[in-house]
């Protein structure tokens, strides 16, 4: 696996996990989650992580630098960009104190992804994997929900108003339970691909059971498998680099 | 790339990025109209926020270049 590709996958994982943690926090505390702002956040955070990973490296110092620099650049964008969403109706994370929250979430995301690849203890690798695979799937799911709203013709403000914690709570539980089940299956059965298959099926079943939305459930199965591919992909690349 | 090239990239990206990020739109327009890129790309009109995003991307490039210079000097 090329260095570029494994760095690319690592950056996608960190960006997705950071944004999923951020989205869950915002929805739980009543702040708006809006597709256009999420797209900007994904772009800025991804570029910061990818450029540091590609040209400097992966490590503790790089993780701390990326975790401070990425959210700071995002804050700079907020300060100088013009408002596109009605601030009287929706609260957006543009205050300065959000920089500290974003930096903390980014630290969690970076070191979860990093510890799965480089963690010394089994406990650190497993926790890193559950956080990375679970929250990366949640990020893909939240993007799927927002893009589907946009394709259904909902305007920006209605879509932001409909994006609530209750809408993502079932996917959050489904993905976390699915990934934990996958980890347990991997630990006790150790059969190739059975863990990701089981994790995907559990996410599919739970989402279909609670939402009766077959398309969403099929995508959930795909998102878990994409998250597994990304995380195992960068781990392989990092392991081959360190040999 | 050599340390000198990283430094040049960092300075160039930093100047252009800061120009689009921190200089008000009116001032950019008064310098030269074409610097606002008032054009359509793939059916999308380039707006003020797009230029701000380009500015942010250039500042990221600039920061990473200076960070690379710091790392190269540390190794020496």
């Amino acid at each position: 696996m090329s260095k570029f590709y494994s760095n690319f996958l690592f950056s996608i994982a960190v960006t997705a996990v950071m944004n999923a943690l951020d989205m869950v926090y915002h929805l739980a505390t009543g702040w708006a989650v809006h597709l256009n702002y999420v797209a900007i956040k994904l772009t800025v955070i991804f570029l910061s992580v990818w450029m540091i990973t590609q040209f400097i490296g992966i490590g503790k110092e790089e993780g701390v630098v990326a975790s401070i620099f990425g959210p700071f650049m995002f804050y700079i964008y907020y300060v100088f960009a013009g408002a596109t969403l009605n601030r009287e109706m929706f609260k957006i994370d543009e205050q300065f104190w959000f920089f500290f929250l974003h930096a903390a979430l980014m630290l969690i995301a970076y070191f979860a992804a990093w510890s799965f690849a480089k963690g010394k203890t089994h406990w650190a690798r497993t926790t890193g994997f559950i956080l990375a695979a679970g929250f990366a799937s949640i990020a893909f799911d939240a993007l799927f929900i927002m893009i589907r709203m946009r394709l259904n013709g909902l305007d920006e403000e209605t879509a932001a108003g409909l994006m609530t914690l209750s809408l993502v709570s079932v996917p959050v539980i489904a993905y976390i339970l699915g990934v934990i089940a996958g980890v347990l299956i991997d630990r006790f059965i150790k059969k190739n691909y059975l863990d990701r298959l089981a994790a995907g099926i559990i996410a599919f079943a739970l989402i279909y059971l609670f939402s009766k939305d077959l398309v969403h459930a099929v995508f959930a199965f795909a998102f878990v498998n994409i998250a597994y591919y990304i995380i195992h992909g960068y781990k392989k690349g990092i392991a081959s680099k360190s040999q | 790339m050599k340390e000198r090239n990283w430094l040049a990239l960092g300075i160039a990206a930093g100047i252009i990025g800061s120009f689009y990020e921190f200089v008000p739109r009116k001032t950019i327009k008064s310098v030269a109209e074409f610097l606002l890129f008032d054009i359509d790309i793939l059916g999308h009109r380039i707006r003020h926020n797009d230029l701000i995003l380009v500015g942010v991307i250039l500042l990221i490039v600039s920061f990473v270049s200076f960070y690379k210079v710091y790392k190269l000097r540390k190794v020496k």
Side-chain angles (χ1 to χ4, degrees), chain A residues 43-81:
Chain A
T43 309
V44 173
I45 299 292
F46 172 78
L47 272 176
S48 306
V49 177
W50 176 73
M51 287 202 72
I52 288 176
T53 307
Q54 181 69 26
F55 299 109
I56 314 290
I58 298 175
K60 284 179 187 167
E61 185 197 295
E62 288 82 354
V64 173
V65 171
S67 301
I68 294 168
F69 179 66
F72 180 70
M73 290 317 292
F74 182 61
Y75 174 71
I76 292 280
Y77 174 83
Y78 261 163
V79 171
F80 292 96

Side-chain angles (χ1 to χ4, degrees), chain A residues 40 43-45 47-48 51-52 55-56 61-62 65 69 73-74 76-77 80-84, chain B residues 6 21-22 47-50 52-53 55-57 59-61 63-64 67-71 74:
Chain A
I40 297 290
T43 309
V44 173
I45 299 292
L47 272 176
S48 306
M51 287 202 72
I52 288 176
F55 299 109
I56 314 290
E61 185 197 295
E62 288 82 354
V65 171
F69 179 66
M73 290 317 292
F74 182 61
I76 292 280
Y77 174 83
F80 292 96
T84 56
Chain B
W6 281 111
E21 190 69 32
F22 307 120
R47 300 168 306 152
H48 174 62
N49 284 2
D50 299 321
I52 294 288
L53 183 61
V56 167
I57 292 168
L59 289 177
I60 293 171
V61 172
F63 174 81
V64 174
Y67 189 22
K68 182 74 182 179
V69 171
Y70 162 75
K71 280 281 187 183
K74 213 172 148 187

Side-chain angles (χ1 to χ4, degrees), chain A residues 53-193:
Chain A
T53 307
Q54 181 69 26
F55 299 109
I56 314 290
I58 298 175
K60 284 179 187 167
E61 185 197 295
E62 288 82 354
V64 173
V65 171
S67 301
I68 294 168
F69 179 66
F72 180 70
M73 290 317 292
F74 182 61
Y75 174 71
I76 292 280
Y77 174 83
Y78 261 163
V79 171
F80 292 96
T84 56
L85 199 62
N86 186 355
R87 299 296 201 272
E88 284 171 10
M89 285 174 75
F90 299 102
K91 293 188 292 176
I92 295 286
D93 56 347
E94 58 195 345
Q95 287 87 348
F96 183 66
W97 70 268
F98 269 106
F99 160 68
F100 298 103
L101 175 82
H102 290 150
L105 298 179
M106 182 93 172
L107 275 172
I108 296 170
Y110 192 98
F111 285 102
W114 181 79
S115 66
F116 174 59
K118 294 255 197 174
K120 286 193 176 108
T121 61
H122 176 73
W123 181 86
R125 285 194 300 274
T126 307
T127 311
F129 178 77
I130 292 171
L131 276 173
F135 279 92
S137 309
I138 292 164
F140 298 144
D141 196 279
L143 282 172
F144 165 78
I145 292 171
M146 286 189 281
I147 290 169
R148 194 153 77 154
M149 280 181 187
R150 182 64 59 87
L151 293 176
N152 285 340
L154 291 180
D155 63 89
E156 292 182 346
E157 289 177 354
T158 312
L162 286 173
M163 195 69 189
T164 56
L165 184 65
S166 58
L167 194 68
V168 295
S169 55
V170 169
V172 168
I173 295 166
Y175 290 120
I176 298 288
L177 284 180
V179 172
I180 290 173
V183 167
L184 291 173
I185 286 170
D186 183 50
R187 184 156 172 78
F188 295 111
I189 301 178
K190 286 190 188 296
K191 220 165 191 180
N192 257 352
Y193 299 109

